[in-house]
């Protein structure tokens, strides 16, 4: 008599026999709407500038960014996260281009909204690192340390000018204490209760940000370990999560994604708001480099990593492959 519940009566391979069978029983599904495209726009360039450390990614001109946004909307992804790269001569200690209504990021937000309207969520990076001459995410005090509370004042201004420019979502990425509450208040004060806040809740001081520094023309000297999280810590992320939710975060995010899937899973299990994860530049560049050498199957690796992030609990994924992956999924 055959015994079920163990071999040979039970054979899990029956559910892997054909592509249709595997598709039917798949526990995790990727969809273009899960994806968000990070994009860089650089002031003062006449054509897109390739980013050497991120093959296939560019610093856009205003015109090429509009084209990229239209392609993203047509591909069916949900959003585009914009990063502005001002001219070097405009950077200063306070990150003035970040609050200038005519700063490159605010101009780009208006451009993209004019191009795609509400067909694509226009999301804006709310941080000072791209606009300061020292490259830190905040204002420095007399000892050269990042001044948390002085930085919050700058973030409040940034939130308002980005909302005025047309951002649907602001993404404060600086990891300052209290930033979510200050930004929510600043938006509400100008009647922009409709603008959502995507909290970079768990943003780790990661080695995988390297290529991003080239992408945004970073002027950073030193590191960001006094405000970004220690890679050794998980409970600290849960504390940050509780604070962000209390302060009014509409969505929360874990960054980087791949090395922190355990953190992502814990966060996703703990909340009832949407959870995002950012597959960052170093994660992208490693796969592109290995694929270029013929060591891995590029398209399979892209979809496998995105599936893993989705399986761990991310509702949405910021990835530089967003448009390409959406086309593959279709």
């Amino acid at each position: 008599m055959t015994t079920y519940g163990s071999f040979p009566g039970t054979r899990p391979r029956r559910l892997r026999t054909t592509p249709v069978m595997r598709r039917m029983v798949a526990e995790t599904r990727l969809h273009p709407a899960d994806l968000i495209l990070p994009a860089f726009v650089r002031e003062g360039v006449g054509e897109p500038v390739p980013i050497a450390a991120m093959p296939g990614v560019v610093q856009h001109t205003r015109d090429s960014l509009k084209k990229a946004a239209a392609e993203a909307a047509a591909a069916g992804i949900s959003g585009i996260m914009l990063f502005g790269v001002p001219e070097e001569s405009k950077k200063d200690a306070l990150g003035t281009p970040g609050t200038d209504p005519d700063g490159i990021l605010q101009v780009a937000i208006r451009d993209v909204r004019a191009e795609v309207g509400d067909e694509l969520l226009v999301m804006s990076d709310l941080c000072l690192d791209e606009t300061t001459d020292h490259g830190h995410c905040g204002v420095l005090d007399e000892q050269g340390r990042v001044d948390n509370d002085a930085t919050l004042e700058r973030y409040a201004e940034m939130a308002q000018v980005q909302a005025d420019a047309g951002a649907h979502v602001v993404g404060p990425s600086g990891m300052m204490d209290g930033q979510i509450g200050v930004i929510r208040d600043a938006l509400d004060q100008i009647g922009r209760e409709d603008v959502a806040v995507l909290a970079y809740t768990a943003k780790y001081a990661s080695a995988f940000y390297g290529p991003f520094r080239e992408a945004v023309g970073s002027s950073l000297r030193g590191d960001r370990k006094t405000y970004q999280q220690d890679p050794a810590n998980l409970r600290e992320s849960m504390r940050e999560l509780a604070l962000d939710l209390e302060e009014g975060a509409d969505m929360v995010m874990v960054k980087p994604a791949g090395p922190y899937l355990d953190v992502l899973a814990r966060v996703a299990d703990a909340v009832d708001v949407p959870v995002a994860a950012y597959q960052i530049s170093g994660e992208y560049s490693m796969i592109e480099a290995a694929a270029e050498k013929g060591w891995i199957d590029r398209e399979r690796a892209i979809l496998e990593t995105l599936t893993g992030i989705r399986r761990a609990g991310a509702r949405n994924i910021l990835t530089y492959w967003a448009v390409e992956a959406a086309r593959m999924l279709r």
Side-chain angles (χ1 to χ4, degrees), residues 12-30 300 307:
R13 285 184 58 192
R14 293 188 189 113
L15 301 183
R16 304 172 196 153
T17 51
T18 68
V20 174
M21 176 67 81
R22 294 191 293 273
R23 184 180 66 195
M24 185 184 76
V25 302
E27 299 172 25
T28 303
R29 298 186 193 279
L30 275 174
R300 285 185 62 193
T307 300

Side-chain angles (χ1 to χ4, degrees), residues 4-329:
Y4 295 95
S6 61
F7 181 82
T10 298
R11 295 177 181 267
R13 285 184 58 192
R14 293 188 189 113
L15 301 183
R16 304 172 196 153
T17 51
T18 68
V20 174
M21 176 67 81
R22 294 191 293 273
R23 184 180 66 195
M24 185 184 76
V25 302
E27 299 172 25
T28 303
R29 298 186 193 279
L30 275 174
H31 188 277
D34 300 333
L35 306 177
I36 297 165
L37 175 69
F40 309 100
V41 57
R42 179 171 169 179
E43 188 173 27
V45 295
E47 58 185 27
V49 179
I51 300 167
M54 299 177 69
V57 180
V58 301
Q59 294 173 324
H60 284 286
T61 66
R62 289 176 60 186
D63 285 340
S64 70
L65 177 65
K66 289 188 287 186
K67 181 180 178 182
E71 290 176 349
I77 72 170
S78 287
I80 185 168
M81 175 65 81
L82 300 179
F83 297 85
V85 184
E87 293 183 39
E88 196 69 27
S89 62
K90 294 184 179 179
K91 296 181 181 181
D92 60 23
L94 296 178
T96 299
T99 50
D100 180 355
D102 294 320
I104 183 59
L105 179 54
Q106 287 69 253
V107 169
I109 294 169
R110 290 194 292 270
D111 284 345
V112 174
R113 279 301 302 270
E115 185 71 22
V116 299
D118 292 328
E119 293 182 31
L120 190 69
L121 284 175
V122 179
M123 312 169 87
S124 54
D125 178 58
L126 201 164
C127 195
L128 290 170
D129 58 326
E130 296 98 339
T131 60
T132 53
D133 54 13
H134 48 72
H136 277 287
C137 297
V139 177
L140 303 185
D141 64 16
E142 293 180 356
Q143 286 75 46
R145 303 169 300 187
V146 174
D147 185 327
N148 191 95
D149 295 4
T151 299
L152 293 181
E153 295 179 17
R154 300 289 294 134
Y155 286 3
E157 293 181 61
M158 292 184 75
Q160 292 177 341
V161 297
Q162 290 178 6
D164 284 342
H168 295 101
V169 180
V170 295
S173 59
M175 291 298 289
M176 297 296 121
D177 294 340
Q179 63 183 13
I180 302 304
V182 166
I183 289 166
R184 182 72 270 158
D185 286 346
L187 291 168
D188 292 350
Q189 285 171 16
I190 61 169
R192 296 309 306 270
E193 295 87 354
D194 58 321
V195 175
V197 179
L198 169 59
Y200 283 59
T201 290
K203 183 179 180 182
Y204 286 89
S206 174
F208 293 96
Y209 295 134
F212 183 88
R213 304 277 163 80
E214 178 190 347
V216 296
S218 176
S219 305
L220 180 66
R221 297 183 293 274
D223 59 50
R224 300 188 172 113
K225 293 180 180 179
T226 65
Y227 44 102
Q228 293 179 353
Q229 285 184 237
D230 186 335
N233 295 350
L234 189 155
R235 284 194 297 270
E236 184 180 31
S237 292
M238 304 310 291
R239 185 183 185 199
E240 293 276 7
L241 174 65
L243 291 168
D244 283 351
L245 293 174
E246 183 179 347
E247 292 173 26
D250 298 291
M251 300 172 276
V252 297
M253 184 158 68
V254 175
K255 180 182 180 181
Y260 298 93
L261 294 180
D262 59 325
V263 180
L264 175 59
R266 282 284 296 274
V267 168
D269 285 344
V271 301
D272 57 5
V273 299
V275 177
Y278 197 146
Q279 186 180 51
I280 67 169
S281 58
E283 298 176 77
Y284 172 92
S285 296
M286 286 192 301
I287 288 176
E288 290 290 347
E292 190 275 330
K293 289 183 174 291
W295 293 343
I296 59 174
D297 182 318
R298 180 178 174 277
E299 290 192 358
R300 285 185 62 193
I302 290 169
L303 293 180
E304 184 175 339
T305 56
L306 292 174
T307 300
I309 296 165
R310 183 76 177 81
R311 187 184 63 245
R315 171 70 272 173
N316 297 106
I317 305 169
L318 284 81
T319 175
Y320 300 98
W321 290 303
V323 172
E324 181 180 0
R327 290 169 177 162
M328 284 192 275
L329 292 169

